[in-house]
Amino acid sequence: MAMKPWYKIITPREDLRDGKPLDASEFAVHLDHVRDGRAPAVYQNPAEFFERTFLTKNLRELSAQVVRRLSGVKLETSAIFSLAAQFGGGKAHSLTLLFHLAQNGESAKSWKGVSGILQDAGVASVPKAATAIFVGTEFDSITGRGGHDGTPLRKTPWGEIAFQLGGDEGFKLVEEHEKQLTAPGGDVIERMLPKGKPTLILFDELMNYVSRSRKSGLAGQLYTFLHNLSEVARGRDNVVLAVSIPASELEMTAEDQSDFERFKKLLDRLG
């Protein structure tokens, strides 16, 4: 009996079939682009993203713990996750995976590897959660975001996150803090988070923003905001905060290194 050609059993990816290699830039994930629909299809389409993602032991464990916490289970998980790895170590890829899970909830069950995540988490399905993303390399506190497109002008991380979670009403809760460039306290953050709904907040490229915002004082206020947000998240059953900070010190100044140690100690203590 003649054997079938391998390419009739396993269909190669489109780029291989067409002889068009992927642009190397497509392997770089930009969370903001995923959130607003500008990312390449392989990152934008969650089913395709999971099809091409190998769930390592650490990635599967992270995903399971986040799903458990969003489901309201506190045992063997945490509200705070600090992702510290070398540049190119897969931090943004991990955050993208968490974003797709939280955004799609029950429909994620059919994606490759999700059944294993649910098995590890000990839950029946992925809870759909409110999500917010802050990417340090993208957000500019001088020009801000919005203000000309019918949305309020946001110049702080807390203003941007409040708007993503609650729209105009959410932003109004921190509008005065936005004007004064002052981080909100726990009472305000508690109202800022959706009531009775799982919530996932993702920070990526944190140190880039800290380095650029040191002179304005916003770097220090971001530290205070993360501290307050972490304390509120720990007191809630279904809120998760995942923060990506680089572990590489090669391109850090002395001030960068000092701030890096402060943020890492904060996240490691609470996570």
Side-chain angles (χ1 to χ4, degrees):
M1 180 179 177
M3 293 181 64
K4 292 182 179 180
W6 67 269
Y7 52 82
K8 288 189 177 181
I9 300 173
I10 303 175
T11 305
R13 296 197 313 260
E14 184 179 352
D15 56 303
L16 297 175
R17 296 198 306 270
D18 296 342
K20 297 177 181 178
L22 291 174
D23 188 322
S25 65
E26 293 191 25
F27 291 97
V29 191
H30 294 280
L31 268 176
D32 260 347
H33 295 183
V34 174
R35 180 179 60 84
D36 61 21
R38 289 182 288 155
V42 66
Y43 295 117
Q44 204 66 50
N45 184 318
E48 187 175 353
F49 177 83
F50 272 79
E51 183 68 32
R52 298 191 183 188
T53 297
F54 177 75
L55 291 174
T56 63
K57 178 182 177 182
N58 287 342
L59 187 52
R60 183 163 160 167
E61 182 178 343
L62 168 67
S63 305
Q65 288 194 44
V66 169
V67 168
R68 282 173 65 80
R69 187 76 186 200
L70 291 177
S71 300
V73 181
K74 289 187 175 182
L75 186 65
E76 296 181 355
T77 185
S78 172
I80 317 298
F81 292 89
S82 173
L83 281 67
Q86 300 297 332
F87 292 110
K91 301 182 297 297
H93 196 100
S94 301
L95 295 179
T96 301
L97 185 142
L98 298 180
F99 173 75
H100 281 315
L101 286 172
Q103 275 282 93
N104 292 273
E106 177 69 27
S107 61
K109 203 169 185 178
S110 62
W111 303 339
K112 183 178 180 180
V114 174
S115 60
I117 293 173
L118 293 175
Q119 182 179 355
D120 291 352
V123 297
S125 63
V126 179
K128 190 168 185 178
T131 58
I133 289 173
F134 182 85
V135 181
T137 53
E138 301 287 321
F139 195 87
D140 191 297
S141 285
I142 294 177
T143 60
R145 183 174 287 174
H148 54 76
D149 56 358
T151 66
L153 178 63
R154 292 95 66 196
K155 290 192 172 185
T156 67
W158 42 94
E160 175 64 9
I161 289 172
F163 177 73
Q164 287 187 36
L165 291 177
D168 291 346
E169 291 301 315
F171 179 78
K172 285 179 183 178
L173 294 172
V174 296
E175 191 169 12
E176 192 60 34
H177 300 82
E178 177 84 14
K179 292 177 182 177
Q180 298 189 27
L181 302 181
T182 302
D187 289 346
V188 176
I189 293 173
E190 187 72 52
R191 297 197 301 271
M192 191 177 87
L193 300 177
K195 289 184 178 179
K197 184 176 182 180
T199 303
L200 175 68
I201 301 174
L202 306 174
F203 281 83
D204 194 18
E205 300 291 355
L206 188 71
M207 290 308 301
N208 182 287
Y209 180 82
V210 169
S211 182
R212 289 186 291 111
S213 305
R214 195 173 289 119
K215 290 183 179 179
S216 68
L218 279 170
Q221 289 299 313
L222 175 59
Y223 177 88
T224 302
F225 175 58
L226 272 178
H227 188 180
N228 297 345
L229 176 59
S230 299
E231 292 293 352
V232 172
R234 288 203 302 167
R236 295 275 289 263
D237 290 341
N238 54 3
V239 174
V240 171
L241 171 65
V243 183
S244 159
I245 55 176
S248 175
E249 304 172 13
L250 296 177
E251 299 180 16
M252 288 188 186
T253 65
E255 290 175 310
D256 289 338
Q257 180 63 34
S258 176
D259 280 331
F260 168 76
E261 293 295 339
R262 278 209 316 151
F263 278 91
K264 190 174 188 305
K265 285 178 181 177
L266 168 68
L267 295 168
D268 287 349
R269 179 175 67 84
L270 296 175

